Each structure stands twice: as structure tokens, then as C-alpha cells.
Amino acid sequence: MYLIGVTLRVARDNVRAHLPDALDLAASGTVIPERVVSHVLDWEQLPDALPEKHLKPVFVRDTAPPQTAR
């Protein structure tokens, strides 16, 4: 790759500015997140599930829905 001029850049994405628009699209039904995410798994399952062949797993720390303040 060096000889043909390929450059690989690795960095963390900064998506915070795009989150409201993405959430609006998901809420409206325009974009269906289930078509992209193959599995939603608990964070504790990560060591066992990561070597398995999942298309696009998402690991979450808490699978319970957030509680709303009253």
C-alpha cells in the first residue's frame, strides 16, 4: 500500500452533532436501525459474543429502558 500511495487514517468519530437528526430519522420510520444492527447484546456478553460471526453487533451496558423523571 505504501508504494501505491494508500493512506490509512484511524481515529474516533465525532458523531454528537449528527445524533439528533439520526434519532429523528429512526423515530419517523424513514431509517430502520434493525436493518443495520444484527444483534443487541449485553456488555457482559462481549468476551463470548465478539468472536462469533455477527453482521453488526451492538453492545450496551444497560438493556433496560431509561426511567423518565416525574
Side-chain angles (χ1 to χ4, degrees):
M1 291 192 310
Y2 176 77
L3 294 176
I4 58 173
V6 174
T7 302
L8 173 65
R9 292 190 175 98
V10 180
R12 294 186 329 179
D13 293 327
N14 186 3
V15 299
R16 187 174 301 267
H18 303 289
L19 283 177
D21 293 334
L23 292 173
D24 288 343
L25 286 171
S28 71
T30 305
V31 174
I32 303 169
E34 292 84 7
R35 289 186 152 180
V36 178
V37 175
S38 63
H39 297 82
V40 178
L41 303 165
D42 185 73
W43 187 258
E44 298 299 323
Q45 294 176 295
L46 193 145
D48 297 326
L50 203 54
E52 297 174 7
K53 294 186 191 278
H54 297 293
L55 180 63
K56 174 63 176 164
V58 173
F59 297 94
V60 294
R61 291 183 188 260
D62 185 8
T63 57
Q67 298 294 322
T68 57
R70 292 183 188 193

